[in-house]
Amino acid sequence: MNADRVNPIIIESCAIDVHEGNTILRGVIAIESLHDLQVDDYQREELTAKQRESIEVALTKGEPLPDLELGMRGEHFREVKPGRVHLRDATYIIDGLQRRQTVLRFLSGNPTASIRLGVKVYINTTKLWEKERFHVLNAKR
């Protein structure tokens, strides 16, 4: 993807942190942007219905889920208004594929549900960096 992306990934309630040359965005992903997140081959296969059950229970109870970790392979983002950022380059799920898939399934049966899903977005990542981060986060699973 490039800076001319038609459907940007929308991050709301966003804070931008720049430290030692690294940029990280923290906020809440707009639910409609979940469909536009990319998945690379370092991810595992989707969980079974039984394995997704605890995530579905949390959604039914309105409990918060852990944040997704995302990597944007580029540096094109724009704050369109205070606290609302559009990611313009391809953005990949590093950690949270199962949560994203379960939320999308849950919403298909509960379209009026109000879900806020936090995100941590690393800017200007590479596939190799994302893969290493994925393995670090999932080493104990």
Side-chain angles (χ1 to χ4, degrees):
M1 286 285 158
N2 60 32
D4 298 323
R5 181 184 182 111
V6 175
N7 295 318
I9 305 296
I10 300 167
I11 309 296
E12 300 167 338
S13 303
C14 189
I16 302 170
D17 180 30
V18 179
H19 179 69
E20 296 181 0
N22 297 311
T23 304
I24 299 173
L25 309 179
R26 291 177 172 87
V28 177
I29 191 166
I31 294 299
E32 64 271 18
S33 290
L34 288 176
H35 295 284
D36 295 317
L37 295 175
Q38 305 282 326
V39 178
D40 214 325
D41 61 10
Y42 55 80
Q43 288 289 338
R44 293 190 209 121
E45 68 281 348
E46 194 172 335
L47 295 174
T48 65
K50 180 68 175 163
Q51 292 169 314
R52 289 192 312 267
E53 196 172 279
S54 64
I55 299 172
E56 292 169 353
V57 168
L59 291 170
T60 301
K61 292 180 177 180
E63 296 174 356
L65 298 176
D67 291 354
L68 302 180
E69 285 206 18
L70 309 176
M72 187 175 75
R73 296 183 189 169
E75 53 190 26
H76 298 102
F77 67 90
R78 185 167 65 101
E79 188 170 30
V80 294
K81 66 180 187 177
R84 185 179 177 102
V85 171
H86 287 184
L87 306 180
R88 306 298 293 180
D89 290 320
T91 304
Y92 288 79
I93 299 172
I94 298 169
D95 187 59
L97 176 62
Q98 309 304 337
R99 279 168 267 151
R100 192 269 306 249
Q101 296 301 94
T102 305
V103 164
L104 291 174
R105 275 197 175 86
F106 182 82
L107 286 171
S108 69
N110 303 280
T112 60
S114 176
I115 297 174
R116 290 180 58 82
L117 193 54
V119 292
K120 181 177 184 180
V121 184
Y122 297 92
I123 303 300
N124 212 16
T125 61
T126 64
K127 178 180 178 177
L128 178 60
W129 187 91
E130 294 163 11
K131 184 176 181 178
E132 289 173 357
R133 179 74 180 155
F134 173 81
H135 289 298
V136 166
L137 292 171
N138 291 280
K140 297 181 182 174
R141 293 184 202 165

